[in-house]
């Protein structure tokens, strides 16, 4: 799970946002005073005793914090029941930290510190990280909160080539984890084992009824739905089981099923067929007339980029434009804030290949929306000038406008007779280059068409910079045999998931794949099963 690692500047910005209008500065001392000027009171209130204890304990765990002698205490603007202590070095404001306390109990709510406070040349062992996390939780949050959580989970996160460590103590619900929200304790450290963040997220489900694991459908019922040939993709991979080009089978997605009803929980794409499941009618082999034109000519102006690619008059459609360059990638942005029109293009600076395109433009609808086949032809017409080979396979998907995908899971008594007839909001097409009659799984173009407007709405390219040639290989196992191999090796777990919709505030009991070891893969040539690394 991606962590939100704040830089010193970001931490300072957050601190500023939290602070109240009244502030009083203090030198480093275990005795810190709060003056709430919003109440215009002459009284100065000491921080609760527990807060003073926590500061002392934190400085004992991280002695370098004692050097952050410029300190201020404020009432939080976001919550008047919380106070914020900020601290920074007198010679460097970027060496800073802050702690949020409950104003009444003095318990710590949140802590963050800038990594530049410490020297990170050393690297702590996993054992040392876990030991320090346990000590920090015990002394800063208390034994009671620790008793409410499960065993710690250690992970490594890399942000901008910098390694961080996270120890997560999850709160369990009926003995199960809750995915989609991190309820429990998070302890963040740098690679040397210095504390840079501690937070506690409680789970409050008072008055809310959740699914009972004892009433879940049998796991075998779900396995039969997941492990089918329709959910499996077959094709070339550049690094196979022996580290060289190979032929593999992979699951398309990790589907989620309502554990009480046994039905798949689907959101948006593929709603008609079930996400991750592709019927034979939606898989086609096509031939293109490749012209191998570059997506963007060298030195093309911002006006020429959209005009040549998509026929868009930028001066007429957008009022502002900006360009950002970083790490060999160029991002172009166009916008018209009055008419709410937006577009963006991502370009590889060296190869000139377009990596992605998004377009939200308010244009009149067509007299009649495009059919799926008409949308496919429009996608082909867009891609064909830039294609470098003739032999392709295309997967077709349709995205209907979701009526809150989890609505029926949360409210099974909803009147289905009131459902409106659904029509495709967008059609999506994934184009895979074929070599030796076999699709290359890691080389694809995605084109999204809005049928009502008849335009390309999104484009995504996943293309290697160098030309790749794959050997002639033959599968020794069928799709059905691979499905049985997956069923044997891939665990299906019962868990709670937190809905993405803001309208629902309760977890759903669900079945999903356990991919903690990697992504399930079968070597098509010899039939061996492996866990492949899951990319970002």
């Amino acid at each position: 799970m991606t962590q939100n690692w704040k830089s010193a500047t970001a931490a300072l910005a957050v601190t500023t946002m939290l602070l109240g209008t009244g502030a009083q500065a203090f030198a480093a001392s275990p005795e810190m005073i709060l003056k709430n000027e919003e109440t215009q009171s002459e009284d100065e209130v000491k921080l609760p005793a527990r807060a003073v204890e926590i500061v002392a304990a934190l400085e004992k765990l991280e002695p370098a914090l004692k050097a952050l002698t410029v300190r201020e205490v404020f009432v939080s603007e976001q919550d008047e029941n919380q106070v914020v202590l900020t601290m920074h070095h007198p010679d460097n404001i970027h060496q800073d930290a802050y702690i949020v306390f409950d104003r009444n109990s003095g318990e710590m709510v949140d802590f963050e510190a800038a990594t530049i406070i410490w020297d990170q040349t050393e690297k702590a062992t996993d054992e040392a990280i876990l030991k320090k996390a346990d000590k920090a939780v015990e002394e800063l949050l208390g034994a009671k909160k620790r008793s409410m959580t499960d065993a710690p989970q250690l992970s490594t996160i890399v942000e901008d080539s910098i390694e961080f460590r996270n120890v997560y103590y999850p709160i369990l619900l009926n003995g199960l984890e809750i995915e989609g929200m991190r309820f429990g304790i998070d302890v963040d450290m740098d690679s040397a084992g210095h504390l840079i963040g501690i937070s506690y997220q409680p789970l409050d489900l008072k008055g809310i009824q959740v699914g009972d694991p004892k009433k879940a459908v049998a796991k075998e019922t779900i396995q039969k739905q997941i492990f089918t040939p329709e959910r499996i993709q077959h094709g070339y991979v550049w690094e196979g089981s022996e580290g060289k080009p190979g032929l593999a089978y992979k699951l398309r997605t990790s589907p989620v099923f309502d554990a009480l009803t046994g039905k798949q929980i689907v959101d948006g794409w593929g709603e008609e067929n079930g996400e991750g499941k592709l019927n034979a009618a939606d898989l086609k082999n096509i031939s293109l007339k490749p012209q191998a034109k570059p997506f963007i000519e060298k030195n093309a102006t911002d006006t020429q980029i959209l005009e040549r690619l998509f026929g868009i008059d930028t001066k007429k459609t957008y009022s502002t434009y900006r360009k950002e360059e970083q790490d060999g990638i160029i991002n172009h942005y166009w916008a018209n804030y009055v008419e709410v029109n937006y577009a963006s293009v991502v370009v590889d600076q060296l190869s000139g290949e377009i990596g992605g395109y998004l377009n939200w433009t308010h244009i009149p609808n067509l007299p009649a929306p495009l059919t799926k086949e008409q949308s496919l032809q429009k996608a082909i017409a867009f891609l064909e000038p830039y294609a470098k080979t003739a032999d392709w396979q295309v997967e077709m998907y349709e995205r209907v406008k979701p009526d809150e995908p989890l609505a029926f899971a949360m409210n099974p008594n909803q009147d289905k007779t009131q459902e409106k007839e659904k029509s495709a909001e967008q059609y999506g097409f994934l184009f895979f280059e074929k070599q030796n009659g076999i699709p290359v799984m890691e080389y694809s173009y995605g084109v999204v068409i809005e049928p009502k407007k008849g335009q390309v709405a999104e484009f995504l390219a996943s293309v290697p910079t160098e030309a790749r040639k794959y050997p002639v290989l033959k599968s020794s196992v069928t799709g059905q045999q691979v499905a049985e191999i997956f069923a044997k090796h891939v665990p299906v777990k019962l868990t709670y998931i937190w809905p993405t919709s803001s309208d629902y505030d309760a977890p759903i009991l669900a079945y999903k794949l356990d991919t903690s070891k990697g992504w399930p893969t079968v070597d098509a040539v010899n039939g061996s099963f492996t866990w492949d690394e899951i990319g970002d």
Side-chain angles (χ1 to χ4, degrees):
M1 182 170 289
T2 302
Q3 299 295 313
N4 184 20
W5 303 103
K6 293 183 177 67
S7 64
T9 304
L12 185 61
V14 171
T15 301
T16 303
M17 183 173 62
L18 291 170
L19 303 185
T21 56
Q24 185 165 343
F26 305 91
S29 167
E31 296 249 347
M32 282 168 248
I33 307 298
L34 164 67
K35 183 176 181 180
N36 184 2
E37 299 205 346
E38 290 182 350
T39 61
Q40 300 297 318
S41 172
E42 295 293 332
D43 297 331
E44 292 182 342
V45 182
K46 290 185 178 181
L47 287 175
R50 175 60 180 155
V52 175
E53 291 175 0
I54 289 173
V55 174
L58 186 56
E59 290 180 337
K60 188 173 181 180
L61 286 166
E62 296 295 351
L65 295 178
K66 293 180 180 179
L68 308 185
T69 56
V70 181
R71 303 189 176 189
E72 294 179 293
V73 180
F74 302 83
V75 174
S76 168
E77 283 189 347
Q78 292 187 337
D79 188 343
E80 63 180 9
N81 294 314
Q82 293 179 346
V83 291
V84 184
L85 164 65
T86 66
M87 55 184 81
H88 69 79
H89 195 283
D91 299 325
N92 187 347
I93 63 171
H94 298 297
Q95 291 188 22
D96 65 345
Y98 73 84
I99 314 173
V100 181
F101 298 100
D102 182 279
R103 189 175 178 184
N104 298 312
S105 68
E107 292 293 340
M108 186 173 75
V109 177
D110 191 18
F111 160 73
E112 286 199 23
T115 58
I116 61 172
I117 296 172
W118 299 277
D119 180 6
Q120 299 184 59
T121 55
E122 299 178 359
K123 188 171 183 179
T125 63
D126 290 356
E127 182 181 2
I129 293 288
L130 289 169
K131 185 177 180 179
K132 186 163 186 177
D134 282 340
K135 187 174 180 63
V137 170
E138 189 78 18
E139 296 186 7
L140 304 179
L141 295 179
K144 184 178 179 180
K145 286 188 175 68
R146 175 65 184 93
S147 67
M148 298 168 63
T149 61
D150 198 39
Q153 301 174 4
L154 177 62
S155 61
T156 300
I157 300 97
V158 179
E159 294 281 343
D160 297 326
S161 301
I162 301 175
E163 185 178 284
F164 300 93
R165 310 305 302 275
N166 171 264
V167 184
Y168 174 49
Y169 300 79
I171 291 178
L172 302 185
L173 177 60
N174 294 326
L176 301 174
E177 281 195 42
I178 303 172
E179 300 189 23
M181 291 284 284
R182 290 174 74 86
F183 293 102
I185 301 169
D186 271 296
V187 179
D188 300 324
M189 302 187 204
D190 61 18
S191 59
H194 299 114
L195 296 170
I196 59 173
I198 300 175
S199 62
Y200 172 70
Q201 179 66 42
L203 175 64
D204 184 6
L205 293 175
K206 292 179 181 178
I208 298 176
Q209 187 175 1
V210 297
D212 185 350
K214 295 178 181 179
K215 297 181 180 180
V217 300
K219 186 181 296 185
E220 292 75 18
T221 303
I222 305 301
Q223 290 174 317
K224 291 178 181 178
Q225 295 184 65
I226 294 178
F227 302 117
T228 66
E230 293 80 12
R231 294 186 184 274
I232 299 171
Q233 189 177 22
H234 171 253
Y236 280 120
V237 291
W238 188 243
E239 294 185 5
S241 58
E242 298 180 359
K244 58 184 180 181
L247 195 57
Y249 287 95
K250 294 177 180 286
L251 284 173
R252 295 182 182 277
T253 62
S254 178
V256 178
F257 288 80
D258 187 307
L260 299 180
T261 66
K263 295 182 179 180
Q264 186 174 354
I265 298 173
V266 187
D267 189 357
W269 286 109
E271 181 145 350
E272 298 302 315
N273 300 324
E275 187 167 304
K277 183 178 179 181
L278 195 67
N279 293 328
D282 291 321
L283 188 66
K284 286 188 175 184
N285 295 315
I286 62 173
S287 293
L288 302 182
K289 297 177 181 177
Q291 301 174 38
K293 292 182 178 179
F295 282 103
I296 297 177
E297 300 285 351
K298 288 186 177 181
N299 302 319
T301 65
D302 65 286
T303 302
Q304 293 169 333
I305 292 173
L306 288 186
E307 184 177 347
R308 293 179 182 179
L309 273 176
F310 307 102
I312 296 176
D313 185 336
T314 57
K315 292 183 179 179
K316 181 180 179 180
T317 310
Y318 308 106
S319 56
T320 64
Y321 164 76
R322 79 176 193 274
K323 180 172 73 172
E324 296 178 357
E325 299 182 27
Q326 185 176 7
D327 299 330
I329 300 297
I330 303 175
N331 290 277
H332 301 270
Y333 301 96
W334 297 263
N336 182 326
Y337 298 107
V338 176
E339 298 180 7
V340 198
N341 295 333
Y342 302 96
S344 65
V345 173
V346 181
V347 183
D348 185 293
Q349 196 168 13
L350 293 177
S351 66
E353 292 281 3
I354 181 173
Y357 162 77
L358 292 174
N359 178 28
W360 296 274
T361 305
H362 289 75
I363 62 173
N365 290 341
L366 299 173
L370 300 181
T371 64
K372 182 186 290 187
E373 183 59 33
Q374 289 172 329
S375 296
L376 172 60
Q377 295 306 315
K378 188 169 188 67
I380 289 174
F382 166 75
L383 181 61
E384 200 164 40
Y386 314 107
K388 297 177 182 179
T389 60
D391 201 12
W392 293 77
Q393 184 180 86
V394 60
E395 297 178 357
M396 299 183 290
Y397 299 88
E398 57 184 81
R399 179 179 184 270
V400 298
K401 185 176 183 179
D403 318 312
E404 293 300 348
L406 300 178
F408 286 112
M410 299 301 300
N411 184 14
N413 298 320
Q414 181 174 333
D415 186 3
K416 295 185 179 182
T417 61
Q418 297 180 3
E419 288 187 70
K420 297 180 180 179
E421 184 178 349
K422 297 178 180 179
S423 60
E425 188 177 60
Q426 291 179 328
Y427 289 113
F429 305 95
L430 278 178
F431 294 86
F432 295 89
E433 178 192 350
K434 293 174 70 177
Q435 290 190 25
N436 308 314
I438 298 172
V440 179
M441 282 197 288
E442 299 164 323
Y443 182 2
S444 65
Y445 290 111
V447 183
V448 176
I449 303 294
E450 287 191 9
K452 293 180 180 179
K453 299 181 182 299
Q455 68 174 1
V456 177
E458 298 180 31
F459 174 71
L460 184 66
S462 176
V463 185
T465 55
E466 77 282 1
R468 293 179 175 179
K469 294 296 180 183
Y470 295 81
V472 176
L473 298 172
K474 186 177 181 180
S475 297
S476 65
V477 287
T478 65
Q480 181 58 45
Q481 290 173 323
V482 171
E484 294 169 3
I485 294 173
F486 282 143
K488 180 180 178 181
H489 290 89
V490 184
V492 174
K493 66 178 181 179
L494 185 63
T495 186
Y496 286 99
I497 60 171
W498 200 270
T500 55
S501 171
S502 60
D503 294 336
Y504 304 104
D505 296 318
I508 296 173
L509 186 64
Y511 279 112
K512 64 178 298 186
L513 298 180
D514 182 352
T515 56
S516 57
K517 295 181 181 179
W519 194 255
T521 304
V522 169
D523 187 304
V525 177
N526 58 36
S528 62
F529 174 86
T530 57
W531 293 101
D532 278 7
E533 183 179 349
I534 299 177
D536 294 335

